[in-house]
Amino acid sequence: MTQARFAEVTGIGDASLNRWEHGLNIQTHAYDRYLRLLALPGIMQHLKEIVERGPCPVSSNPTTF
């Protein structure tokens, strides 16, 4: 997966990913936890499917995916 696609799927900015890859910054604890969750089976596929569906309409129930 390209860096651009990873950024699109995860919502992490290109600039942040680039800084992490080049050792200019390290991710925060929150991003570290998020990245670890991405390693769980099926999570990346689920995020890809969400991205492919497009933006979610505004809902009164924020837990609806």
Side-chain angles (χ1 to χ4, degrees):
M1 179 180 296
T2 66
Q3 181 175 313
R5 178 68 172 151
F6 187 83
E8 177 186 23
V9 169
T10 63
I12 299 172
D14 289 316
S16 293
L17 292 171
N18 191 43
R19 286 190 295 266
W20 298 344
E21 280 190 351
H22 290 92
L24 301 174
N25 274 348
I26 59 170
Q27 67 268 14
T28 64
H29 288 289
Y31 271 127
D32 183 65
R33 288 178 180 164
Y34 179 48
L35 293 169
R36 291 173 189 269
L37 288 172
L38 295 175
L40 295 174
I43 297 296
M44 285 300 289
Q45 183 59 40
H46 185 66
L47 287 175
K48 288 177 189 176
E49 291 168 5
I50 290 171
V51 169
E52 295 305 318
R53 284 195 305 253
C56 294
V58 176
S59 171
S60 60
N61 183 357
T63 60
T64 302
F65 297 115

